[in-house]
Amino acid sequence: MARVGWIGLGNMGVPMSKNLIKAGHEVTVWNRTKAKAQPVLDAGAQWADSPKEIAEKCEFIFTMVADGPALQDVTLREDGVVAGLSAGKIVIDMSTVAPEESEKVNDAVEAKGCKFLRAPVTGSTVLAENATLGILASGDKATYEKALPLFQAMGKNQFYLGAGEQARVMKLALNIMIGTSMQMMAEAVVLAEKAGLDVVQACEVIAGSAVGSPLVNYKVAPISKGQYDPAFSVKLMEKDFDLAFAAAKQYGVSMPVTAVTRQFLAAAHASGKGDRDFSVLVQLLEEMCGVER
Ligand code: NA7
């Protein structure tokens, strides 16, 4: 069993690190807000006082934080991960960040004689709890093989995508599909509602149809009930869209549907829904169109 460090105990980090504990690994955690670590400490993890201490103590160091600036903060600051590394350790970031932000951390980790894997995930909190996430990994292949048993404790499908930043781009490609799918669902649901159909039944029909993807199926129950507790927030989806636009510019790709959906995310954020689940796009359109539940 491995000595594993975990940095970042938000909506995703808590269930994911718990699954490593469940699999029998010795897990040490750090989070900026210590109170959020309690469920993981109750499950058997130990606490470290800094990311540096985690790196000193553990062979595998995971980060699962909000965005690129947060990743750079926990890794590169004075008492960050890199300061605590000694040769041979493996740092694995599972957050969604820009390829350039990732590369900067990779260079600092490699300068310590260590390896850096990029391993963003597909699926949100329910899949994290059930250990059925998809894990999109890139970086050194032999290092990936070493980390595989840890990935298997957290996810059902693992994909090795290349030696560099490929996993970062793949994750962004996926998230623009997830976000734009939700905007499509909002338009379909609100059309049905305004025409007098029952929202629960409309959701059932959509879920059972050719467009009833796993995403649609996870979201029909909360949307039917008008519940938008965050599995993945509007703010984080906005971040991913913006990172995808930067990649699209770099590679010369036009993304008109993504651009329109980005405007709805902005409106959701501006109207006080930034911390709600991104499926709140349905509620936003209901409000714009005068639907009262
Ligand atoms: P959450 O639930 O918003 O959690 C974000 C985590 O990142 C949480 O532990 C935060 O600590 C931490 N964070 C944010 N900013 C910082 C800084 N500056 N320094 C240290 N730690 C920080 O996100 P999710 O768990 O849903 O998602 C995590 C990633 O997966 C994200 O990239 C998604 O796009 C995909 P806090 O508890 O607020 O102190």
Side-chain angles (χ1 to χ4, degrees):
M1 289 296 131
R3 264 179 295 122
V4 178
W6 192 279
I7 293 163
L9 295 165
N11 291 328
M12 295 295 286
V14 167
M16 291 170 74
S17 58
K18 273 184 165 178
N19 282 329
L20 289 172
I21 298 170
K22 240 183 252 168
H25 299 290
E26 190 187 311
V27 177
T28 305
V29 300
W30 178 86
N31 192 54
R32 182 178 60 177
T33 309
K34 188 175 178 183
K36 288 200 201 161
Q38 203 52 52
V40 185
L41 298 176
D42 291 344
Q46 294 169 44
W47 175 256
D49 283 328
S50 67
K52 181 178 176 210
E53 193 182 318
I54 297 244
E56 285 165 351
K57 190 172 164 191
C58 303
E59 345 161 38
F60 293 90
I61 300 110
F62 284 88
T63 50
M64 186 52 157
V65 291
D67 52 20
L71 172 64
Q72 295 188 353
D73 186 27
V74 299
T75 52
L76 305 180
R77 68 195 218 190
E78 207 178 316
D79 65 348
V81 170
V82 171
L85 287 175
S86 48
K89 300 209 170 185
I90 296 174
V91 180
I92 304 171
D93 176 56
M94 305 191 84
S95 326
T96 302
V97 307
E100 315 80 69
E101 294 163 332
S102 175
E103 214 174 336
K104 196 169 163 197
V105 176
N106 175 64
D107 293 349
V109 170
E110 287 198 337
K112 285 294 195 95
C114 299
K115 294 288 186 197
F116 182 61
L117 288 177
R118 300 79 169 159
V121 302
T122 76
S124 64
T125 48
V126 176
L127 303 200
E129 278 156 24
N130 301 336
T132 52
L133 291 166
I135 295 171
L136 313 177
S138 62
D140 178 62
K141 183 83 191 284
T143 307
Y144 169 76
E145 304 289 351
K146 284 186 198 162
L148 197 51
L150 300 173
F151 291 149
Q152 284 163 342
M154 296 183 278
K156 191 172 66 164
N157 299 313
Q158 283 78 31
F159 300 92
Y160 177 74
L161 299 169
E165 299 297 336
Q166 291 86 348
R168 302 300 191 187
V169 179
M170 192 64 233
K171 170 68 204 249
L172 299 176
L174 209 51
N175 267 22
I176 59 168
M177 275 198 77
I178 290 174
T180 53
S181 299
M182 189 49 65
Q183 181 57 27
M184 282 308 308
M185 184 156 176
E187 293 175 21
V189 167
V190 175
L191 176 62
E193 282 182 295
K194 283 229 81 171
L197 279 95
D198 175 59
V199 66
V200 176
Q201 217 177 16
C203 283
E204 274 170 16
V205 172
I206 294 168
S209 76
V211 295
S213 64
L215 171 72
V216 166
N217 274 277
Y218 303 141
K219 296 297 184 187
V220 285
I223 289 172
S224 299
K225 293 181 200 141
Q227 285 174 353
Y228 300 103
D229 295 336
F232 187 65
S233 71
V234 166
K235 283 181 189 166
L236 287 178
M237 189 61 93
E238 286 184 292
K239 171 202 57 156
D240 291 357
F241 270 50
D242 292 342
L243 296 178
F245 290 133
K249 189 172 176 192
Q250 183 184 348
Y251 293 108
V253 179
S254 162
M255 303 200 304
V257 174
T258 308
V260 170
T261 303
R262 177 66 179 86
Q263 298 306 311
F264 282 89
L265 290 166
H269 187 162
S271 58
K273 303 183 202 308
D275 291 317
R276 307 303 286 154
D277 190 74
F278 73 102
S279 55
V280 80
L281 286 172
V282 176
Q283 191 182 57
L284 176 76
L285 195 62
E286 286 174 341
E287 288 167 6
M288 288 169 69
C289 299
V291 174
E292 280 182 32
R293 289 260 192 128

